[in-house]
């Protein structure tokens, strides 16, 4: 019995070593590899331009993040519910202003946001 287990284990070890070569050499799902990333000066400038453009669209959001949490904005009827929640230090997931998704999207892929 021990002899059979020994042969089975040796056979499995050999199969594992031979069967796993292909999946280690696959291209990433996005198709962008290190060798193809930022080949020219224009590639870097396009990325920076996309990042600056995405950040400029969030200018009002940055202002509100700082001013509301510093108690520099007084709540009134024109203020949205999310802004009122932020002023009350409610940064739970039900508050849309507490979401960092826009910033994460900009960092991850500035040219597509």
């Amino acid at each position: 019995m021990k002899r059979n287990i020994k042969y089975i284990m040796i056979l499995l070890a050999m199969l594992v070593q031979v069967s796993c070569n292909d999946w280690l050499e696959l291209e990433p799902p996005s198709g962008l590899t290190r060798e193809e990333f930022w080949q020219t000066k224009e590639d870097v400038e396009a990325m920076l331009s996309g990042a600056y453009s995405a950040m400029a669209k969030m200018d009002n959001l940055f202002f509100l993040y700082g001013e509301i949490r510093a108690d520099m904005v007084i709540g009134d009827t024109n203020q949205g519910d999310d802004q009122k929640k932020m002023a009350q230090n409610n940064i739970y997931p039900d508050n849309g202003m507490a979401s960092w998704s826009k910033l994460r999207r900009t960092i991850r892929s500035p040219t597509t946001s």
Side-chain angles (χ1 to χ4, degrees), residues 6 15 35 41 44 49 51 63 66 70 76-77 81 86-87 89 104 113:
K6 180 179 175 182
L15 286 174
E35 292 80 24
K41 179 181 176 184
V44 176
S49 175
F63 173 78
D76 65 359
T77 57
D81 288 336
M86 183 67 79
N89 294 323
R104 288 187 184 124
S113 54

Side-chain angles (χ1 to χ4, degrees), residues 81-100:
D81 288 336
D82 288 341
Q83 293 177 12
K84 290 177 186 175
K85 288 179 185 178
M86 183 67 79
Q88 297 167 356
N89 294 323
N90 175 343
I91 54 173
Y92 295 109
D94 65 336
N95 185 353
M97 273 197 72
S99 173
W100 291 91

Side-chain angles (χ1 to χ4, degrees), residues 3-38:
R3 185 173 160 190
N4 288 340
I5 293 174
K6 180 179 175 182
Y7 288 129
I8 291 172
M9 294 300 284
I10 290 173
L11 181 64
L12 285 174
M14 289 173 48
L15 286 174
V16 167
Q17 291 179 358
V18 195
S19 65
C20 296
N21 289 336
D22 291 341
W23 69 272
L24 291 174
E25 298 177 13
L26 293 177
E27 294 288 326
S30 66
L32 195 61
T33 61
R34 180 179 290 203
E35 292 80 24
E36 299 169 351
F37 201 68
W38 293 348

Side-chain angles (χ1 to χ4, degrees), residues 63 66-75:
F63 173 78
E67 298 300 310
I68 288 176
R69 296 200 63 197
D71 293 331
M72 299 298 288
V73 177
I74 299 172

